């Protein structure tokens, strides 16, 4: 469908004394480091998408995310993602997590294709995705 290099899902994990956003599932991953990534709510790719409730499309990480800011997005570094679509996963209309569709080669995604991808993915994942108006 998307011919992506990797797809992952992040969720907000609440414990007794803190709340973190963690990547809980990943396919096409290069290693298992994604399991150790945890950021504060509102931080990282998943946190930003969950906070805004809107898809985030990056056609070229090297051009759109300054090198000095790249460390704020560990999933991009660990999975060597160079372009991606990150989409909020909604529950009862509220952002509860994020889905990332990542590519390791440039030029594989464009903003014009994003809505098509999201519309195709929503019935497959059997969830409500933010930014979709069907």
């Amino acid at each position: 469908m998307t011919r992506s290099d990797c797809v992952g899902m992040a969720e907000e994990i609440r414990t007794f004394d803190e709340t973190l956003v963690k990547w809980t599932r990943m396919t096409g991953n290069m290693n298992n480091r994604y399991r150790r990534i945890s950021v504060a709510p509102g931080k990282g790719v998943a946190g930003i998408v969950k906070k805004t409730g809107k898809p985030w499309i990056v056609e070229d990480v090297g051009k759109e995310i300054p090198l000095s800011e790249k460390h704020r997005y560990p999933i991009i570094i660990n999975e060597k993602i160079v372009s991606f679509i990150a989409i909020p996963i909604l529950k009862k209309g509220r952002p509860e997590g994020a889905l990332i569709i990542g590519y390791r080669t440039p030029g594989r995604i464009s903003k014009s294709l994003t809505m098509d991808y999201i519309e195709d993915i929503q019935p497959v994942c059997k969830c409500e995705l933010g930014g979709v108006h069907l």
Side-chain angles (χ1 to χ4, degrees):
M1 177 184 327
T2 64
R3 293 188 176 87
S4 61
D5 295 312
C6 61
V7 176
M9 187 174 96
E11 301 174 70
E12 200 168 82
I13 307 293
R14 292 180 182 92
T15 62
F16 176 72
D17 60 346
E18 67 182 342
T19 300
L20 298 170
V21 177
K22 296 184 68 93
W23 293 98
T24 56
R25 296 181 186 109
M26 183 75 72
T27 186
N29 47 304
M30 298 180 73
N31 53 54
N32 288 327
R33 286 187 212 144
Y34 76 90
R35 292 179 180 161
R36 294 191 302 259
I37 296 172
S38 61
V39 295
K43 305 293 182 192
V45 172
I48 290 170
V49 169
K50 185 181 176 303
K51 179 172 74 173
T52 64
K54 297 179 183 176
W56 184 18
I57 303 103
V58 175
E59 294 179 24
D60 186 339
V61 167
K63 291 180 181 174
E64 297 179 48
I65 299 176
L67 187 57
S68 62
E69 299 290 316
K70 206 169 172 183
H71 71 280
R72 297 174 191 244
Y73 310 105
I75 196 70
I76 293 172
I77 296 167
N78 286 334
E79 291 298 326
K80 298 183 178 170
I81 295 171
V82 299
S83 61
F84 66 88
I85 304 167
I87 309 160
I89 299 171
L90 307 178
K91 185 174 183 180
K92 297 182 183 175
R94 297 181 51 100
E96 292 291 324
L99 179 74
I100 191 169
I101 302 166
Y103 299 88
R104 296 189 183 100
T105 53
R108 299 277 306 278
I109 188 63
S110 69
K111 290 180 171 88
S112 63
L113 290 174
T114 300
M115 189 51 130
D116 292 339
Y117 281 170
I118 294 171
E119 287 175 355
D120 288 346
I121 292 165
Q122 185 163 280
V124 173
C125 76
K126 296 179 180 144
C127 59
E128 183 185 357
L129 300 174
V132 179
H133 305 288
L134 300 174

